[in-house]
Amino acid sequence: MSSAAITETMRSNSGVNWHSDEMKARRKARYAADRRLQVYGMIAIAFALGFLAILVGSLTLTGYKAFTQTVATVEIDLSQAKVDPANIGEADWRGIVRNALRAQLPDLSRSDERKFFEMFTSSGQFLVRDAVVADPSRLKGVSTFTIPMADPVDQLAKGEIRRDVPESQRRINDQQIGLYDQLVSKGIISTPFNWGLFFNADSRFPELAGLAGAISGSFWSLLVCFAISFPIGIAAAIYLEEFAPKNRVTDLIEVNINNLAAVPSVVFGLLGLAVFLGWLGLPRSAPLVGGFVLALMTLPTLIIVTRVSLKSVPSSIREAALGIGASKHEAIFHHILPLAMPTVMTGSIISLARALGETAPLLLIGMNAFITSPPDGVFAASTALPTQIYIWADSPERGFVSRTSAAILVLLAFLVLMNGIAIFLRQRFERRW
């Protein structure tokens, strides 16, 4: 007998008239409820994607201008500057740079020169000096240098400062706007990609500020975090799942691990402030302390993920390993853990991505200091990407507004990259049982 005939027989024996108007209305209502549920789900996804688009769009509209920087390209004949090749750093670089800039508009009066020099970054002399130190062959003739314009001029070039605004309400006066137009007409001004945003450390001048120190500090902190949390988290999960007896003590430990996974990150920052800085006397603002605090924060999540991945391995694999004479630790480390490792690695990367975006614990241990050079190790003072964003957002300089949004976009890019790696590892190595 076919399945359709069996179904029809069951319907006839049940005494229910499936073709009655009442049953048709019930079926119609169920189908309508299914369609409404699908529509609600699609609306929820649309809202989520819409808010995400608004967030990324607003950050992009605010921060895309930080990825370019207005610069002046000048030629300097260093062969005439009488710079001692054996003592390059002691030369009068301020005078050399000013003479080169003055040569671009030779008709300037002495009274206008001060306003003219204010249009360029005050660190231009050091940039030229460092470029010559890196390449002493520049001393033999004419070389081309790019000098960033000061933040008000950069804002004018990017349209952030309007010319029709009264002069008293602008950070750049009409005279400087006229000088800027003359430089533009001579082809000296350009707006290339701002590589300094990635390769410069922090600065109190927006035109020179970059994320190199913050990226380096985040790297060292995550390295310490991974080196601590990964082995400890896996070891704790293996013990709790495979060796620990099931009693009230282990139940209490499991409950506390689950509770720690939901504790606000600022609590771990207070713990790090009291223990690592107060009791142990570790260096303040160091990535070492930041890594310790982030490791404490990620350990509960990593333990939970590892235990779940160990449970997902079929018990038949464990039993087969034990049946052919393997010891318990051999069954775990040779069979169970390798099969669970893709999920463990995915959870580890997601935990590190969460740690990368944490701000509160790093603020409490002092990783929001003004650091003008990238750290060279885990003991050097540094900042991190989230704390650098906090510092720039709190700065009164208008140029830091776009740089704050740009830094958030860089942080989001790192988070997306790390989550993408986690998804790739899961799809590439995960086994379905």
Side-chain angles (χ1 to χ4, degrees):
M1 184 179 294
S2 64
S3 59
I6 294 175
T7 303
E8 186 64 27
T9 302
M10 293 176 61
R11 287 178 176 178
S12 61
N13 294 335
S14 63
V16 179
N17 186 2
W18 295 95
H19 300 287
S20 64
D21 293 339
E22 180 182 0
M23 296 307 298
K24 290 181 180 179
R26 289 184 180 182
R27 287 195 296 272
K28 184 178 180 181
R30 288 201 304 269
Y31 297 153
D34 291 341
R35 288 192 295 269
R36 284 197 301 270
L37 182 60
Q38 295 179 14
V39 171
Y40 295 155
M42 296 174 62
I43 292 175
I45 294 175
F47 267 107
L49 293 177
F51 285 125
L52 178 62
I54 292 173
L55 171 64
V56 176
S58 62
L59 291 174
T60 303
L61 289 175
T62 307
Y64 79 95
K65 293 182 179 179
F67 291 97
T68 59
Q69 175 63 43
T70 306
V71 299
T73 304
V74 297
E75 292 184 347
I76 303 178
D77 187 0
L78 294 175
S79 62
Q80 305 295 325
K82 298 180 180 180
V83 178
D84 183 7
N87 198 6
I88 297 177
E90 298 298 325
D92 182 19
W93 292 107
R94 183 171 182 269
I96 293 173
V97 171
R98 288 201 167 191
N99 288 335
L101 294 176
R102 188 183 294 112
Q104 308 305 318
L105 297 178
D107 298 332
L108 283 179
S109 63
R110 288 290 181 179
S111 59
D112 295 338
E113 286 184 355
R114 185 176 64 86
K115 293 294 184 183
F116 176 66
F117 292 140
E118 288 178 356
M119 297 172 58
F120 303 88
T121 181
S122 60
S123 299
Q125 55 187 333
F126 305 114
L127 298 177
V128 174
R129 180 201 63 188
D130 294 342
V132 175
V133 170
D135 184 11
S137 63
R138 290 173 176 260
L139 294 173
K140 299 179 180 180
V142 178
S143 297
T144 302
F145 298 89
T146 56
I147 301 176
M149 307 299 294
D151 182 56
V153 180
D154 184 48
Q155 298 296 316
L156 175 69
K158 295 175 179 177
E160 297 292 333
I161 296 179
R162 295 173 52 187
R163 296 170 178 256
D164 55 354
V165 174
E167 185 178 12
S168 60
Q169 300 178 16
R170 287 192 256 108
R171 294 178 56 206
I172 181 170
N173 56 35
D174 294 337
Q175 179 186 9
Q176 291 174 323
I177 292 178
L179 295 174
Y180 168 77
D181 291 337
Q182 294 182 48
L183 293 176
V184 172
S185 64
K186 292 174 67 69
I188 299 174
I189 302 298
S190 61
T191 310
F193 186 82
N194 184 17
W195 291 106
L197 182 66
F198 301 96
F199 296 109
N200 291 348
D202 194 15
S203 173
R204 63 188 180 92
F205 302 108
E207 66 272 12
L208 300 177
L211 295 170
I215 294 174
S216 179
S218 291
F219 168 77
W220 288 114
S221 296
L222 291 181
L223 184 63
V224 173
C225 173
F226 180 79
I228 295 174
S229 63
F230 189 74
I232 294 178
I234 292 179
I238 291 176
Y239 174 76
L240 291 174
E241 188 63 30
E242 302 292 341
F243 295 99
K246 304 302 180 182
N247 52 35
R248 292 185 178 181
V249 176
T250 55
D251 290 342
L252 181 62
I253 293 175
E254 292 179 6
V255 169
N256 281 280
I257 290 176
N258 293 329
N259 289 335
L260 285 174
V263 169
S265 59
V266 67
V267 176
F268 293 99
L270 292 172
L271 178 63
L273 177 63
V275 176
F276 301 129
L277 299 184
W279 293 355
L280 301 180
L282 295 177
R284 189 178 182 86
S285 304
L288 178 67
V289 181
F292 283 160
V293 173
L294 295 178
L296 291 177
M297 188 185 67
T298 57
L299 262 176
T301 303
L302 185 56
I303 292 174
I304 294 172
V305 171
T306 304
R307 293 192 64 186
V308 171
S309 63
L310 293 174
K311 288 180 181 179
S312 65
V313 178
S315 59
S316 58
I317 295 178
R318 181 185 291 101
E319 295 169 356
L322 296 175
I324 61 175
S327 63
K328 191 168 185 179
H329 82 274
E330 288 176 337
I332 294 172
F333 288 100
H334 295 175
H335 300 278
I336 300 173
L337 186 59
L339 294 174
M341 189 54 68
T343 305
V344 174
M345 289 299 300
T346 300
S348 301
I349 295 174
I350 294 176
S351 298
L352 290 177
R354 178 198 169 194
L356 176 63
E358 288 294 341
T359 307
L362 300 182
L363 290 176
L364 289 172
I365 62 172
M367 289 190 69
N368 60 332
F370 179 71
I371 307 298
T372 57
S373 60
D376 54 1
V378 296
F379 294 98
S382 70
T383 59
L385 275 173
T387 54
Q388 188 67 71
I389 293 170
Y390 171 81
I391 294 171
W392 284 357
D394 197 45
S395 177
E397 295 289 340
R398 186 171 181 177
F400 283 115
V401 175
S402 60
R403 276 168 170 74
T404 300
S405 298
I408 295 174
L409 290 174
V410 173
L411 177 59
L412 289 177
F414 278 112
L415 295 176
V416 170
L417 176 62
M418 296 179 71
N419 283 277
I421 294 174
I423 293 172
F424 170 77
L425 290 177
R426 185 176 68 245
Q427 294 180 347
R428 177 67 176 80
F429 298 105
E430 187 178 28
R431 296 190 180 184
R432 300 185 181 275
W433 311 103

